[in-house]
Amino acid sequence: MLIRHPRPRALTACTVLVLALLGTAAFAPLPFAVAQPGLTADVLGKDRGKPVITITGEPVRATKGQLRMVTIEATGPSTDVRLGQVVDGWFRTDRAVMPRGAVYPSGGSDAQIERHNLDEMRGSQDSATEAALGYLGDRADKAKVTLYLSDVGGPSAGLLFSLGIVDKLDGDGAGGDLTGGRTIAGTGTISADGKVGAVGGVPLKTQSAARDGATVFLVPKAECSDATSELPRGLRLIPVTTLKGAVATLRALKTGGPVPSC
């Protein structure tokens, strides 16, 4: 008995179905965000003509060098991301494709998410101020600090804000600049007691830092492996876990002492 197998027809049908699904996916929005290196800002300088750090009540040092906080720029929470953008992002070192939920909190409108990010920035500024003044102790008893940075949300500038406050009030503790005149960039959340936390997006942030002239990048120690994955040439990575440790490391970098590395 001869049996006719319908396999070629079934295979053809499956192929058509796959092609149809791929065609639909190419035009359907996907639950991803595409990020790229963003702006950087020197916390020792000005943003839109206004000082990023303003301190009253205590003498303030004239600083040299730069302490640059870094950002990433991502497609908006309601922006439709298509398959082509996702595929393109996977093959580029200056792009990152991430689940939208890893970039933005879910369940809110664009306006609500923007408010959430700005609230996180304000909370980060408060923690950064408390951490820096707590580290300085009686050297900053009467200091009143105001922080300003436009159009940036989230908590990842906390460490750099704290370092900026310390540099403006105390420098390296011996009359010099904490930066040693260098352009130093970095990222990391900070708690009121000075602990540095992870932030995400570090490979893109190192690219922002190198693009804007940094030669040293302070990274939360927990993110060392991420930071080394696409590290720009000429950028030195230094892991940190606390504000106190970060200050000590910058002093050692300036004097030629031992400095940790990733």
mmCIF file of all heavy atoms in Angstrom, residues 75-79 100 103-118:
data_model
loop_
_atom_site.group_PDB
_atom_site.id
_atom_site.type_symbol
_atom_site.label_atom_id
_atom_site.label_comp_id
_atom_site.label_asym_id
_atom_site.label_seq_id
_atom_site.Cartn_x
_atom_site.Cartn_y
_atom_site.Cartn_z
ATOM 1 N N THR A 75 14.642 55.288 24.951
ATOM 2 C CA THR A 75 13.347 55.575 24.352
ATOM 3 C C THR A 75 12.310 55.716 25.463
ATOM 4 O O THR A 75 12.397 55.060 26.497
ATOM 5 C CB THR A 75 12.938 54.447 23.394
ATOM 6 O OG1 THR A 75 13.085 53.173 24.060
ATOM 7 C CG2 THR A 75 13.811 54.441 22.152
ATOM 8 N N GLY A 76 11.347 56.586 25.257
ATOM 9 C CA GLY A 76 10.359 56.896 26.289
ATOM 10 C C GLY A 76 9.481 55.716 26.643
ATOM 11 O O GLY A 76 9.360 54.747 25.874
ATOM 12 N N PRO A 77 8.829 55.778 27.811
ATOM 13 C CA PRO A 77 8.014 54.649 28.271
ATOM 14 C C PRO A 77 6.844 54.321 27.355
ATOM 15 O O PRO A 77 6.393 53.180 27.327
ATOM 16 C CB PRO A 77 7.521 55.112 29.658
ATOM 17 C CG PRO A 77 7.738 56.583 29.688
ATOM 18 C CD PRO A 77 8.889 56.863 28.799
ATOM 19 N N SER A 78 6.359 55.284 26.582
ATOM 20 C CA SER A 78 5.246 55.001 25.671
ATOM 21 C C SER A 78 5.699 54.956 24.213
ATOM 22 O O SER A 78 4.870 54.860 23.309
ATOM 23 C CB SER A 78 4.148 56.057 25.838
ATOM 24 O OG SER A 78 4.624 57.339 25.479
ATOM 25 N N THR A 79 7.004 55.015 23.981
ATOM 26 C CA THR A 79 7.533 54.956 22.616
ATOM 27 C C THR A 79 7.463 53.531 22.081
ATOM 28 O O THR A 79 7.858 52.586 22.766
ATOM 29 C CB THR A 79 8.993 55.439 22.577
ATOM 30 O OG1 THR A 79 9.049 56.787 23.055
ATOM 31 C CG2 THR A 79 9.550 55.384 21.169
ATOM 32 N N ARG A 100 11.491 46.964 28.943
ATOM 33 C CA ARG A 100 10.998 48.283 29.332
ATOM 34 C C ARG A 100 10.825 48.387 30.848
ATOM 35 O O ARG A 100 11.079 49.426 31.455
ATOM 36 C CB ARG A 100 9.670 48.570 28.626
ATOM 37 C CG ARG A 100 9.177 49.991 28.781
ATOM 38 C CD ARG A 100 7.925 50.222 27.967
ATOM 39 N NE ARG A 100 8.213 50.132 26.546
ATOM 40 C CZ ARG A 100 7.276 49.913 25.609
ATOM 41 N NH1 ARG A 100 6.026 49.711 25.965
ATOM 42 N NH2 ARG A 100 7.614 49.868 24.342
ATOM 43 N N VAL A 103 13.742 49.631 32.830
ATOM 44 C CA VAL A 103 14.107 51.036 32.677
ATOM 45 C C VAL A 103 13.091 51.950 33.345
ATOM 46 O O VAL A 103 13.451 52.942 33.988
ATOM 47 C CB VAL A 103 14.225 51.393 31.182
ATOM 48 C CG1 VAL A 103 14.632 52.861 30.997
ATOM 49 C CG2 VAL A 103 15.228 50.478 30.488
ATOM 50 N N TYR A 104 11.807 51.598 33.196
ATOM 51 C CA TYR A 104 10.747 52.437 33.737
ATOM 52 C C TYR A 104 9.830 51.615 34.629
ATOM 53 O O TYR A 104 9.567 50.444 34.342
ATOM 54 C CB TYR A 104 9.906 53.035 32.602
ATOM 55 C CG TYR A 104 10.688 53.924 31.671
ATOM 56 C CD1 TYR A 104 10.992 53.505 30.369
ATOM 57 C CD2 TYR A 104 11.120 55.181 32.074
ATOM 58 C CE1 TYR A 104 11.707 54.329 29.509
ATOM 59 C CE2 TYR A 104 11.832 56.000 31.222
ATOM 60 C CZ TYR A 104 12.118 55.567 29.940
ATOM 61 O OH TYR A 104 12.825 56.383 29.100
ATOM 62 N N PRO A 105 9.302 52.225 35.699
ATOM 63 C CA PRO A 105 8.297 51.520 36.499
ATOM 64 C C PRO A 105 7.047 51.301 35.668
ATOM 65 O O PRO A 105 6.685 52.135 34.833
ATOM 66 C CB PRO A 105 8.034 52.486 37.671
ATOM 67 C CG PRO A 105 8.483 53.820 37.181
ATOM 68 C CD PRO A 105 9.601 53.566 36.218
ATOM 69 N N SER A 106 6.410 50.167 35.869
ATOM 70 C CA SER A 106 5.237 49.829 35.060
ATOM 71 C C SER A 106 3.966 50.421 35.650
ATOM 72 O O SER A 106 3.901 50.773 36.822
ATOM 73 C CB SER A 106 5.093 48.304 34.956
ATOM 74 O OG SER A 106 4.938 47.740 36.250
ATOM 75 N N GLY A 107 2.965 50.530 34.795
ATOM 76 C CA GLY A 107 1.634 50.906 35.264
ATOM 77 C C GLY A 107 1.359 52.382 35.359
ATOM 78 O O GLY A 107 0.283 52.781 35.827
ATOM 79 N N GLY A 108 2.289 53.232 34.927
ATOM 80 C CA GLY A 108 2.066 54.660 35.029
ATOM 81 C C GLY A 108 2.107 55.335 33.673
ATOM 82 O O GLY A 108 2.631 54.799 32.706
ATOM 83 N N SER A 109 1.525 56.532 33.614
ATOM 84 C CA SER A 109 1.601 57.328 32.398
ATOM 85 C C SER A 109 2.993 57.933 32.279
ATOM 86 O O SER A 109 3.797 57.886 33.214
ATOM 87 C CB SER A 109 0.560 58.446 32.451
ATOM 88 O OG SER A 109 0.881 59.365 33.482
ATOM 89 N N ASP A 110 3.273 58.514 31.121
ATOM 90 C CA ASP A 110 4.565 59.163 30.931
ATOM 91 C C ASP A 110 4.795 60.236 31.990
ATOM 92 O O ASP A 110 5.899 60.365 32.541
ATOM 93 C CB ASP A 110 4.642 59.800 29.542
ATOM 94 C CG ASP A 110 4.861 58.760 28.451
ATOM 95 O OD1 ASP A 110 4.714 57.560 28.739
ATOM 96 O OD2 ASP A 110 5.167 59.154 27.308
ATOM 97 N N ALA A 111 3.759 61.021 32.278
ATOM 98 C CA ALA A 111 3.888 62.097 33.265
ATOM 99 C C ALA A 111 4.152 61.538 34.658
ATOM 100 O O ALA A 111 4.966 62.074 35.418
ATOM 101 C CB ALA A 111 2.632 62.957 33.271
ATOM 102 N N GLN A 112 3.473 60.443 35.002
ATOM 103 C CA GLN A 112 3.671 59.829 36.316
ATOM 104 C C GLN A 112 5.076 59.257 36.447
ATOM 105 O O GLN A 112 5.715 59.391 37.498
ATOM 106 C CB GLN A 112 2.626 58.728 36.536
ATOM 107 C CG GLN A 112 1.224 59.247 36.751
ATOM 108 C CD GLN A 112 0.192 58.133 36.751
ATOM 109 O OE1 GLN A 112 0.322 57.143 36.021
ATOM 110 N NE2 GLN A 112 -0.849 58.275 37.572
ATOM 111 N N ILE A 113 5.574 58.644 35.387
ATOM 112 C CA ILE A 113 6.922 58.079 35.418
ATOM 113 C C ILE A 113 7.964 59.183 35.511
ATOM 114 O O ILE A 113 8.956 59.070 36.241
ATOM 115 C CB ILE A 113 7.150 57.194 34.182
ATOM 116 C CG1 ILE A 113 6.295 55.924 34.294
ATOM 117 C CG2 ILE A 113 8.622 56.823 34.033
ATOM 118 C CD1 ILE A 113 6.268 55.079 33.043
ATOM 119 N N GLU A 114 7.733 60.283 34.801
ATOM 120 C CA GLU A 114 8.660 61.414 34.896
ATOM 121 C C GLU A 114 8.700 61.966 36.317
ATOM 122 O O GLU A 114 9.778 62.262 36.844
ATOM 123 C CB GLU A 114 8.253 62.519 33.918
ATOM 124 C CG GLU A 114 9.220 63.699 33.923
ATOM 125 C CD GLU A 114 8.842 64.770 32.923
ATOM 126 O OE1 GLU A 114 7.827 64.616 32.233
ATOM 127 O OE2 GLU A 114 9.577 65.769 32.840
ATOM 128 N N ARG A 115 7.531 62.083 36.943
ATOM 129 C CA ARG A 115 7.487 62.557 38.332
ATOM 130 C C ARG A 115 8.213 61.594 39.255
ATOM 131 O O ARG A 115 8.925 62.017 40.178
ATOM 132 C CB ARG A 115 6.040 62.748 38.793
ATOM 133 C CG ARG A 115 5.382 64.008 38.260
ATOM 134 C CD ARG A 115 4.124 64.340 39.042
ATOM 135 N NE ARG A 115 3.117 63.288 38.930
ATOM 136 C CZ ARG A 115 2.205 63.231 37.963
ATOM 137 N NH1 ARG A 115 2.177 64.147 37.009
ATOM 138 N NH2 ARG A 115 1.309 62.259 37.937
ATOM 139 N N HIS A 116 8.037 60.296 39.022
ATOM 140 C CA HIS A 116 8.719 59.281 39.832
ATOM 141 C C HIS A 116 10.240 59.434 39.723
ATOM 142 O O HIS A 116 10.951 59.403 40.733
ATOM 143 C CB HIS A 116 8.295 57.889 39.371
ATOM 144 C CG HIS A 116 9.095 56.767 39.961
ATOM 145 N ND1 HIS A 116 8.867 56.274 41.225
ATOM 146 C CD2 HIS A 116 10.151 56.044 39.456
ATOM 147 C CE1 HIS A 116 9.727 55.300 41.483
ATOM 148 N NE2 HIS A 116 10.512 55.145 40.424
ATOM 149 N N ASN A 117 10.738 59.610 38.493
ATOM 150 C CA ASN A 117 12.177 59.751 38.293
ATOM 151 C C ASN A 117 12.713 61.027 38.930
ATOM 152 O O ASN A 117 13.813 61.035 39.496
ATOM 153 C CB ASN A 117 12.499 59.726 36.800
ATOM 154 C CG ASN A 117 12.356 58.344 36.188
ATOM 155 O OD1 ASN A 117 12.389 57.339 36.894
ATOM 156 N ND2 ASN A 117 12.194 58.279 34.883
ATOM 157 N N LEU A 118 11.944 62.115 38.835
ATOM 158 C CA LEU A 118 12.376 63.368 39.459
ATOM 159 C C LEU A 118 12.352 63.257 40.983
ATOM 160 O O LEU A 118 13.215 63.814 41.668
ATOM 161 C CB LEU A 118 11.487 64.520 38.986
ATOM 162 C CG LEU A 118 11.656 64.905 37.509
ATOM 163 C CD1 LEU A 118 10.652 65.983 37.121
ATOM 164 C CD2 LEU A 118 13.077 65.371 37.220
#
